[in-house]
Amino acid sequence: DAGITQSPRHKVTETGTPVTLRCHQTENHRYMYWYRQDPGHGLRLIHYSYGVKDTDKGEVSDGYSVSRSKTEDFLLTLESATSSQTSVYFCAISLGTSGSEQYFGPGTRLTVT
Amino acid sequence: GQNIDQPTEMTATEGAIVQINCTYQTSGFNGLFWYQQHAGEAPTFLSYNVLDGLEEKGRFSSFLSRSKGYSYLLLKELQMKDSASYLCAVRERGGSQGNLIFGKGTKLSVKP
């Protein structure tokens, strides 16, 4: 399972509330990613990190922020959740070299009511 | 722009062979990946191609033609457990900019 955990695994929250999702890895990989997966859209990159305190935006970053203060943790924050952010969120890690695949965490199902 | 196309759904029979196609148009190319995703689970890595040709791994093979922007995943001796979605993904560039762009996935149903 590449040593990736996500918490919480399920969450229901109300519109306008802040939400933080956590991704934790135990294998010291440099690269970490946050994706969302929605029917009809596939996996879309939200933000990624290429080291401690080094992050960048992905395809669908609006409404999301991230932080990486330690190698093992990558946090995704929804400052004010909206119903359009109801989705399944996956964290992934990789070695970052050209041929290296990404390994995915188990996912977090977030429902914003 | 970026575009990765796969069929939305496919159906095949247990024991048969199925080919899932993927075409891509991206601004760069630094490798193509196939993932398997069972319903309610995370994607798992299946194969990687960066040079033209066929890569074989057990019952699964993946083919790449860079000049045609085309790949396929070949599944042989289909089993019921192969019922899943199959995701094609392209890496446009290497290094820190080498993020994956995913297609929408192909849902494969294997019937007895």
Side-chain angles (χ1 to χ4, degrees):
Chain A
D1 64 359
I4 312 170
T5 57
Q6 293 184 230
S7 58
R9 294 293 313 280
H10 301 271
K11 186 170 183 65
V12 179
T13 192
E14 293 184 350
T15 297
T17 59
V19 177
T20 295
L21 309 182
R22 179 182 183 235
C23 177
H24 179 78
Q25 58 142 331
T26 59
E27 300 191 1
N28 212 35
H29 287 292
R30 179 182 175 192
Y31 288 81
M32 299 184 75
Y33 309 82
W34 275 109
Y35 291 90
R36 60 178 291 174
Q37 188 173 40
D38 306 287
H41 287 279
L43 280 161
R44 292 181 291 174
L45 182 66
I46 305 171
H47 282 278
Y48 66 98
S49 170
Y50 45 96
V52 173
K53 299 192 189 307
D54 289 326
T55 66
D56 207 346
K57 297 178 180 180
E59 177 190 356
V60 289
S61 59
D62 287 348
Y64 302 94
S65 62
V66 291
S67 66
R68 191 168 180 201
S69 58
K70 301 184 290 185
T71 299
E72 56 266 35
D73 288 324
F74 192 31
L75 304 181
L76 177 71
T77 296
L78 293 66
E79 300 290 346
S80 177
T82 67
S83 58
S84 65
Q85 293 176 311
T86 292
S87 186
V88 178
Y89 291 86
F90 286 102
C91 173
I93 61 173
S94 83
L95 294 176
T97 53
S98 288
S100 60
E101 62 269 30
Q102 294 183 12
Y103 295 96
F104 286 82
T108 294
R109 183 172 294 275
L110 176 68
T111 302
V112 184
T113 60
Chain B
Q2 308 163 339
N3 195 39
I4 299 177
D5 285 322
Q6 314 177 227
T8 303
E9 294 186 33
M10 298 182 70
T11 302
T13 304
E14 191 176 16
I17 300 172
V18 70
Q19 178 175 310
I20 303 174
N21 295 326
C22 172
T23 58
Y24 63 89
Q25 292 176 308
T26 54
S27 58
F29 182 82
N30 195 254
L32 187 140
F33 297 79
W34 283 96
Y35 283 82
Q36 181 190 58
Q37 186 177 24
H38 286 100
E41 298 183 6
T44 56
F45 169 74
L46 286 178
S47 69
Y48 167 69
N49 295 71
V50 67
L51 299 176
D52 291 352
L54 189 68
E55 293 283 341
E56 297 187 78
K57 191 184 293 186
R59 294 189 300 115
F60 292 6
S61 303
S62 57
F63 172 83
L64 175 67
S65 169
R66 289 172 296 170
S67 62
K68 295 181 179 178
Y70 168 68
S71 174
Y72 67 72
L73 181 69
L74 194 71
L75 291 74
K76 303 175 187 175
E77 302 170 13
L78 279 173
Q79 303 175 8
M80 298 299 291
K81 67 178 182 180
D82 297 330
S83 291
S85 289
Y86 291 86
L87 315 180
C88 173
V90 172
R91 188 197 303 277
E92 286 188 307
R93 291 175 289 277
S96 63
Q97 299 302 311
N99 301 318
L100 296 182
I101 305 164
F102 283 84
K104 296 178 181 178
T106 299
K107 184 177 181 181
L108 175 66
S109 298
V110 180
K111 301 193 181 303

